[in-house]
PDB file of all heavy atoms in Angstrom:
ATOM      1  N   ASN A   1       0.835  -1.200   0.001  1.00 97.00           N
ATOM      2  CA  ASN A   1      -0.017   0.010  -0.006  1.00 97.00           C
ATOM      3  C   ASN A   1       0.886   1.259   0.005  1.00 97.00           C
ATOM      4  O   ASN A   1       1.683   1.463   0.926  1.00 97.00           O
ATOM      5  CB  ASN A   1      -0.896  -0.013   1.222  1.00 97.00           C
ATOM      6  CG  ASN A   1      -1.986  -1.083   1.141  1.00 97.00           C
ATOM      7  OD1 ASN A   1      -2.773  -1.043   0.208  1.00 97.00           O
ATOM      8  ND2 ASN A   1      -2.015  -2.024   2.068  1.00 97.00           N
ATOM      9  N   PHE A   2       0.739   2.064  -1.048  1.00 97.00           N
ATOM     10  CA  PHE A   2       1.544   3.253  -1.232  1.00 97.00           C
ATOM     11  C   PHE A   2       0.663   4.470  -1.019  1.00 97.00           C
ATOM     12  O   PHE A   2      -0.488   4.550  -1.479  1.00 97.00           O
ATOM     13  CB  PHE A   2       2.137   3.322  -2.620  1.00 97.00           C
ATOM     14  CG  PHE A   2       3.051   2.186  -2.957  1.00 97.00           C
ATOM     15  CD1 PHE A   2       2.597   1.031  -3.616  1.00 97.00           C
ATOM     16  CD2 PHE A   2       4.420   2.239  -2.617  1.00 97.00           C
ATOM     17  CE1 PHE A   2       3.440  -0.005  -3.940  1.00 97.00           C
ATOM     18  CE2 PHE A   2       5.278   1.182  -2.939  1.00 97.00           C
ATOM     19  CZ  PHE A   2       4.788   0.066  -3.572  1.00 97.00           C
ATOM     20  N   GLN A   3       1.276   5.516  -0.484  1.00 95.00           N
ATOM     21  CA  GLN A   3       0.618   6.816  -0.390  1.00 95.00           C
ATOM     22  C   GLN A   3       0.860   7.602  -1.679  1.00 95.00           C
ATOM     23  O   GLN A   3       2.014   7.757  -2.094  1.00 95.00           O
ATOM     24  CB  GLN A   3       1.083   7.647   0.832  1.00 95.00           C
ATOM     25  CG  GLN A   3       0.362   8.984   0.952  1.00 95.00           C
ATOM     26  CD  GLN A   3       0.747   9.710   2.242  1.00 95.00           C
ATOM     27  OE1 GLN A   3       1.434   9.150   3.103  1.00 95.00           O
ATOM     28  NE2 GLN A   3       0.282  10.935   2.376  1.00 95.00           N
ATOM     29  N   GLU A   4      -0.200   8.050  -2.327  1.00 95.00           N
ATOM     30  CA  GLU A   4      -0.067   8.878  -3.491  1.00 95.00           C
ATOM     31  C   GLU A   4       0.315  10.299  -3.078  1.00 95.00           C
ATOM     32  O   GLU A   4      -0.070  10.744  -2.002  1.00 95.00           O
ATOM     33  CB  GLU A   4      -1.402   8.909  -4.263  1.00 95.00           C
ATOM     34  CG  GLU A   4      -1.795   7.583  -4.897  1.00 95.00           C
ATOM     35  CD  GLU A   4      -0.990   7.280  -6.180  1.00 95.00           C
ATOM     36  OE1 GLU A   4      -0.114   8.038  -6.575  1.00 95.00           O
ATOM     37  OE2 GLU A   4      -1.305   6.207  -6.768  1.00 95.00           O
ATOM     38  N   THR A   5       1.068  10.957  -3.900  1.00 92.00           N
ATOM     39  CA  THR A   5       1.424  12.341  -3.701  1.00 92.00           C
ATOM     40  C   THR A   5       1.085  13.197  -4.905  1.00 92.00           C
ATOM     41  O   THR A   5       1.027  12.637  -6.006  1.00 92.00           O
ATOM     42  CB  THR A   5       2.927  12.530  -3.382  1.00 92.00           C
ATOM     43  OG1 THR A   5       3.696  12.098  -4.496  1.00 92.00           O
ATOM     44  CG2 THR A   5       3.351  11.671  -2.154  1.00 92.00           C
ATOM     45  N   SER A   6       0.827  14.451  -4.642  1.00 85.00           N
ATOM     46  CA  SER A   6       0.365  15.322  -5.768  1.00 85.00           C
ATOM     47  C   SER A   6       1.500  15.659  -6.745  1.00 85.00           C
ATOM     48  O   SER A   6       1.223  16.019  -7.873  1.00 85.00           O
ATOM     49  CB  SER A   6      -0.228  16.636  -5.173  1.00 85.00           C
ATOM     50  OG  SER A   6       0.746  17.292  -4.406  1.00 85.00           O
ATOM     51  N   ASP A   7       2.753  15.506  -6.283  1.00 85.00           N
ATOM     52  CA  ASP A   7       3.863  15.944  -7.140  1.00 85.00           C
ATOM     53  C   ASP A   7       4.579  14.793  -7.813  1.00 85.00           C
ATOM     54  O   ASP A   7       5.717  14.920  -8.265  1.00 85.00           O
ATOM     55  CB  ASP A   7       4.867  16.781  -6.312  1.00 85.00           C
ATOM     56  CG  ASP A   7       5.365  16.022  -5.157  1.00 85.00           C
ATOM     57  OD1 ASP A   7       4.836  14.923  -4.840  1.00 85.00           O
ATOM     58  OD2 ASP A   7       6.356  16.471  -4.498  1.00 85.00           O
ATOM     59  N   SER A   8       3.933  13.613  -7.854  1.00 86.00           N
ATOM     60  CA  SER A   8       4.591  12.488  -8.464  1.00 86.00           C
ATOM     61  C   SER A   8       3.637  11.751  -9.386  1.00 86.00           C
ATOM     62  O   SER A   8       2.392  11.943  -9.277  1.00 86.00           O
ATOM     63  CB  SER A   8       5.137  11.514  -7.396  1.00 86.00           C
ATOM     64  OG  SER A   8       4.103  11.010  -6.602  1.00 86.00           O
ATOM     65  N   LYS A   9       4.160  10.906 -10.225  1.00 91.00           N
ATOM     66  CA  LYS A   9       3.332  10.137 -11.132  1.00 91.00           C
ATOM     67  C   LYS A   9       2.431   9.190 -10.379  1.00 91.00           C
ATOM     68  O   LYS A   9       2.850   8.543  -9.470  1.00 91.00           O
ATOM     69  CB  LYS A   9       4.255   9.365 -12.105  1.00 91.00           C
ATOM     70  CG  LYS A   9       3.486   8.651 -13.227  1.00 91.00           C
ATOM     71  CD  LYS A   9       4.489   7.766 -14.037  1.00 91.00           C
ATOM     72  CE  LYS A   9       5.540   8.627 -14.669  1.00 91.00           C
ATOM     73  NZ  LYS A   9       6.446   7.825 -15.578  1.00 91.00           N
ATOM     74  N   PRO A  10       1.139   9.132 -10.740  1.00 94.00           N
ATOM     75  CA  PRO A  10       0.247   8.162 -10.053  1.00 94.00           C
ATOM     76  C   PRO A  10       0.748   6.730 -10.215  1.00 94.00           C
ATOM     77  O   PRO A  10       1.347   6.366 -11.217  1.00 94.00           O
ATOM     78  CB  PRO A  10      -1.105   8.308 -10.833  1.00 94.00           C
ATOM     79  CG  PRO A  10      -1.020   9.684 -11.454  1.00 94.00           C
ATOM     80  CD  PRO A  10       0.424   9.898 -11.779  1.00 94.00           C
ATOM     81  N   ILE A  11       0.572   5.932  -9.153  1.00 96.00           N
ATOM     82  CA  ILE A  11       1.063   4.587  -9.163  1.00 96.00           C
ATOM     83  C   ILE A  11       0.014   3.661  -9.817  1.00 96.00           C
ATOM     84  O   ILE A  11      -1.088   3.476  -9.247  1.00 96.00           O
ATOM     85  CB  ILE A  11       1.347   4.095  -7.689  1.00 96.00           C
ATOM     86  CG1 ILE A  11       2.376   5.023  -7.029  1.00 96.00           C
ATOM     87  CG2 ILE A  11       1.804   2.659  -7.686  1.00 96.00           C
ATOM     88  CD1 ILE A  11       2.550   4.729  -5.547  1.00 96.00           C
ATOM     89  N   ARG A  12       0.335   3.191 -10.989  1.00 97.00           N
ATOM     90  CA  ARG A  12      -0.586   2.355 -11.697  1.00 97.00           C
ATOM     91  C   ARG A  12       0.139   1.070 -12.165  1.00 97.00           C
ATOM     92  O   ARG A  12       1.334   0.983 -12.075  1.00 97.00           O
ATOM     93  CB  ARG A  12      -1.164   3.102 -12.919  1.00 97.00           C
ATOM     94  CG  ARG A  12      -1.935   4.329 -12.591  1.00 97.00           C
ATOM     95  CD  ARG A  12      -3.248   4.014 -11.824  1.00 97.00           C
ATOM     96  NE  ARG A  12      -4.006   5.255 -11.518  1.00 97.00           N
ATOM     97  CZ  ARG A  12      -3.906   5.924 -10.389  1.00 97.00           C
ATOM     98  NH1 ARG A  12      -3.057   5.534  -9.410  1.00 97.00           N
ATOM     99  NH2 ARG A  12      -4.655   7.009 -10.186  1.00 97.00           N
ATOM    100  N   ARG A  13      -0.579   0.134 -12.684  1.00 97.00           N
ATOM    101  CA  ARG A  13      -0.043  -1.155 -13.122  1.00 97.00           C
ATOM    102  C   ARG A  13       1.123  -0.944 -14.028  1.00 97.00           C
ATOM    103  O   ARG A  13       2.135  -1.582 -13.928  1.00 97.00           O
ATOM    104  CB  ARG A  13      -1.138  -1.968 -13.730  1.00 97.00           C
ATOM    105  CG  ARG A  13      -0.659  -3.266 -14.392  1.00 97.00           C
ATOM    106  CD  ARG A  13      -1.831  -3.981 -15.046  1.00 97.00           C
ATOM    107  NE  ARG A  13      -1.400  -5.245 -15.638  1.00 97.00           N
ATOM    108  CZ  ARG A  13      -0.852  -5.396 -16.836  1.00 97.00           C
ATOM    109  NH1 ARG A  13      -0.636  -4.283 -17.597  1.00 97.00           N
ATOM    110  NH2 ARG A  13      -0.473  -6.572 -17.303  1.00 97.00           N
ATOM    111  N   GLU A  14       0.960  -0.044 -15.017  1.00 98.00           N
ATOM    112  CA  GLU A  14       2.042   0.131 -15.974  1.00 98.00           C
ATOM    113  C   GLU A  14       3.346   0.661 -15.393  1.00 98.00           C
ATOM    114  O   GLU A  14       4.424   0.246 -15.780  1.00 98.00           O
ATOM    115  CB  GLU A  14       1.536   1.115 -17.056  1.00 98.00           C
ATOM    116  CG  GLU A  14       0.372   0.641 -17.923  1.00 98.00           C
ATOM    117  CD  GLU A  14      -0.968   0.673 -17.190  1.00 98.00           C
ATOM    118  OE1 GLU A  14      -1.056   1.344 -16.134  1.00 98.00           O
ATOM    119  OE2 GLU A  14      -1.924   0.016 -17.635  1.00 98.00           O
ATOM    120  N   LEU A  15       3.200   1.536 -14.363  1.00 98.00           N
ATOM    121  CA  LEU A  15       4.380   2.024 -13.701  1.00 98.00           C
ATOM    122  C   LEU A  15       5.098   0.867 -12.940  1.00 98.00           C
ATOM    123  O   LEU A  15       6.333   0.747 -12.972  1.00 98.00           O
ATOM    124  CB  LEU A  15       3.995   3.190 -12.745  1.00 98.00           C
ATOM    125  CG  LEU A  15       5.121   3.723 -11.837  1.00 98.00           C
ATOM    126  CD1 LEU A  15       6.234   4.262 -12.718  1.00 98.00           C
ATOM    127  CD2 LEU A  15       4.629   4.759 -10.883  1.00 98.00           C
ATOM    128  N   ILE A  16       4.355   0.133 -12.162  1.00 98.00           N
ATOM    129  CA  ILE A  16       4.940  -0.999 -11.441  1.00 98.00           C
ATOM    130  C   ILE A  16       5.709  -1.974 -12.345  1.00 98.00           C
ATOM    131  O   ILE A  16       6.864  -2.330 -12.122  1.00 98.00           O
ATOM    132  CB  ILE A  16       3.881  -1.777 -10.657  1.00 98.00           C
ATOM    133  CG1 ILE A  16       3.191  -0.889  -9.626  1.00 98.00           C
ATOM    134  CG2 ILE A  16       4.478  -3.046  -9.989  1.00 98.00           C
ATOM    135  CD1 ILE A  16       4.038  -0.497  -8.441  1.00 98.00           C
ATOM    136  N   ASN A  17       5.070  -2.338 -13.444  1.00 98.00           N
ATOM    137  CA  ASN A  17       5.675  -3.232 -14.379  1.00 98.00           C
ATOM    138  C   ASN A  17       6.898  -2.617 -15.033  1.00 98.00           C
ATOM    139  O   ASN A  17       7.922  -3.290 -15.343  1.00 98.00           O
ATOM    140  CB  ASN A  17       4.693  -3.661 -15.481  1.00 98.00           C
ATOM    141  CG  ASN A  17       3.747  -4.765 -14.961  1.00 98.00           C
ATOM    142  OD1 ASN A  17       3.974  -5.381 -13.941  1.00 98.00           O
ATOM    143  ND2 ASN A  17       2.681  -5.001 -15.715  1.00 98.00           N
ATOM    144  N   ASP A  18       6.831  -1.334 -15.358  1.00 98.00           N
ATOM    145  CA  ASP A  18       7.959  -0.669 -15.936  1.00 98.00           C
ATOM    146  C   ASP A  18       9.164  -0.605 -15.011  1.00 98.00           C
ATOM    147  O   ASP A  18      10.329  -0.730 -15.462  1.00 98.00           O
ATOM    148  CB  ASP A  18       7.608   0.746 -16.366  1.00 98.00           C
ATOM    149  CG  ASP A  18       8.618   1.366 -17.323  1.00 98.00           C
ATOM    150  OD1 ASP A  18       8.980   0.666 -18.310  1.00 98.00           O
ATOM    151  OD2 ASP A  18       9.020   2.490 -17.103  1.00 98.00           O
ATOM    152  N   ILE A  19       8.914  -0.433 -13.706  1.00 98.00           N
ATOM    153  CA  ILE A  19       9.976  -0.478 -12.760  1.00 98.00           C
ATOM    154  C   ILE A  19      10.737  -1.826 -12.793  1.00 98.00           C
ATOM    155  O   ILE A  19      11.957  -1.899 -12.891  1.00 98.00           O
ATOM    156  CB  ILE A  19       9.447  -0.210 -11.331  1.00 98.00           C
ATOM    157  CG1 ILE A  19       8.969   1.190 -11.199  1.00 98.00           C
ATOM    158  CG2 ILE A  19      10.557  -0.563 -10.249  1.00 98.00           C
ATOM    159  CD1 ILE A  19       8.184   1.469  -9.916  1.00 98.00           C
ATOM    160  N   TYR A  20       9.953  -2.915 -12.796  1.00 98.00           N
ATOM    161  CA  TYR A  20      10.587  -4.269 -12.805  1.00 98.00           C
ATOM    162  C   TYR A  20      11.237  -4.515 -14.168  1.00 98.00           C
ATOM    163  O   TYR A  20      12.310  -5.118 -14.245  1.00 98.00           O
ATOM    164  CB  TYR A  20       9.506  -5.318 -12.563  1.00 98.00           C
ATOM    165  CG  TYR A  20       9.095  -5.456 -11.106  1.00 98.00           C
ATOM    166  CD1 TYR A  20       7.790  -5.179 -10.726  1.00 98.00           C
ATOM    167  CD2 TYR A  20      10.032  -5.786 -10.140  1.00 98.00           C
ATOM    168  CE1 TYR A  20       7.400  -5.308  -9.374  1.00 98.00           C
ATOM    169  CE2 TYR A  20       9.676  -5.914  -8.785  1.00 98.00           C
ATOM    170  CZ  TYR A  20       8.357  -5.673  -8.416  1.00 98.00           C
ATOM    171  OH  TYR A  20       7.963  -5.782  -7.114  1.00 98.00           O
ATOM    172  N   ARG A  21      10.610  -4.054 -15.210  1.00 98.00           N
ATOM    173  CA  ARG A  21      11.164  -4.321 -16.576  1.00 98.00           C
ATOM    174  C   ARG A  21      12.515  -3.639 -16.685  1.00 98.00           C
ATOM    175  O   ARG A  21      13.490  -4.283 -17.167  1.00 98.00           O
ATOM    176  CB  ARG A  21      10.228  -3.701 -17.624  1.00 98.00           C
ATOM    177  CG  ARG A  21      10.603  -4.082 -19.074  1.00 98.00           C
ATOM    178  CD  ARG A  21       9.713  -3.414 -20.053  1.00 98.00           C
ATOM    179  NE  ARG A  21       8.331  -3.898 -19.965  1.00 98.00           N
ATOM    180  CZ  ARG A  21       7.277  -3.226 -19.492  1.00 98.00           C
ATOM    181  NH1 ARG A  21       7.453  -1.961 -19.017  1.00 98.00           N
ATOM    182  NH2 ARG A  21       6.075  -3.734 -19.487  1.00 98.00           N
ATOM    183  N   LYS A  22      12.663  -2.412 -16.243  1.00 97.00           N
ATOM    184  CA  LYS A  22      13.932  -1.726 -16.327  1.00 97.00           C
ATOM    185  C   LYS A  22      14.999  -2.307 -15.419  1.00 97.00           C
ATOM    186  O   LYS A  22      16.148  -2.502 -15.815  1.00 97.00           O
ATOM    187  CB  LYS A  22      13.731  -0.246 -16.024  1.00 97.00           C
ATOM    188  CG  LYS A  22      12.938   0.531 -17.105  1.00 97.00           C
ATOM    189  CD  LYS A  22      12.746   1.949 -16.720  1.00 97.00           C
ATOM    190  CE  LYS A  22      12.007   2.708 -17.828  1.00 97.00           C
ATOM    191  NZ  LYS A  22      11.727   4.124 -17.464  1.00 97.00           N
ATOM    192  N   VAL A  23      14.585  -2.618 -14.167  1.00 97.00           N
ATOM    193  CA  VAL A  23      15.591  -3.184 -13.241  1.00 97.00           C
ATOM    194  C   VAL A  23      16.088  -4.560 -13.743  1.00 97.00           C
ATOM    195  O   VAL A  23      17.239  -4.847 -13.582  1.00 97.00           O
ATOM    196  CB  VAL A  23      14.937  -3.300 -11.830  1.00 97.00           C
ATOM    197  CG1 VAL A  23      15.837  -4.113 -10.900  1.00 97.00           C
ATOM    198  CG2 VAL A  23      14.707  -1.970 -11.229  1.00 97.00           C
ATOM    199  N   SER A  24      15.180  -5.322 -14.319  1.00 97.00           N
ATOM    200  CA  SER A  24      15.617  -6.669 -14.752  1.00 97.00           C
ATOM    201  C   SER A  24      16.635  -6.565 -15.947  1.00 97.00           C
ATOM    202  O   SER A  24      17.439  -7.478 -16.164  1.00 97.00           O
ATOM    203  CB  SER A  24      14.399  -7.479 -15.234  1.00 97.00           C
ATOM    204  OG  SER A  24      13.792  -6.905 -16.435  1.00 97.00           O
ATOM    205  N   LYS A  25      16.552  -5.472 -16.657  1.00 95.00           N
ATOM    206  CA  LYS A  25      17.461  -5.293 -17.810  1.00 95.00           C
ATOM    207  C   LYS A  25      18.820  -4.652 -17.449  1.00 95.00           C
ATOM    208  O   LYS A  25      19.825  -4.958 -18.063  1.00 95.00           O
ATOM    209  CB  LYS A  25      16.813  -4.472 -18.906  1.00 95.00           C
ATOM    210  CG  LYS A  25      15.638  -5.165 -19.620  1.00 95.00           C
ATOM    211  CD  LYS A  25      15.051  -4.277 -20.647  1.00 95.00           C
ATOM    212  CE  LYS A  25      13.917  -4.971 -21.431  1.00 95.00           C
ATOM    213  NZ  LYS A  25      13.306  -4.084 -22.424  1.00 95.00           N
ATOM    214  N   THR A  26      18.759  -3.820 -16.404  1.00 92.00           N
ATOM    215  CA  THR A  26      19.942  -3.021 -16.123  1.00 92.00           C
ATOM    216  C   THR A  26      20.503  -3.072 -14.738  1.00 92.00           C
ATOM    217  O   THR A  26      21.666  -2.775 -14.483  1.00 92.00           O
ATOM    218  CB  THR A  26      19.712  -1.533 -16.450  1.00 92.00           C
ATOM    219  OG1 THR A  26      18.626  -1.041 -15.595  1.00 92.00           O
ATOM    220  CG2 THR A  26      19.269  -1.338 -17.909  1.00 92.00           C
TER     221      THR A  26
END
């Protein structure tokens, strides 16, 4: 459970997957 903030990108499925996708590659 994450707290949303007004000054950051909303946490959505695509963002979570993109985090893992990038970390797995680099």
Side-chain angles (χ1 to χ4, degrees):
N1 289 299
F2 298 94
Q3 182 174 352
E4 293 283 2
T5 62
S6 59
D7 59 348
S8 62
K9 185 185 301 185
I11 302 172
R12 300 294 182 266
R13 173 183 183 274
E14 294 76 15
L15 174 59
I16 298 290
N17 280 346
D18 195 48
I19 292 169
Y20 284 119
R21 187 184 295 109
K22 290 179 179 178
V23 169
S24 68
K25 290 180 178 179
T26 62

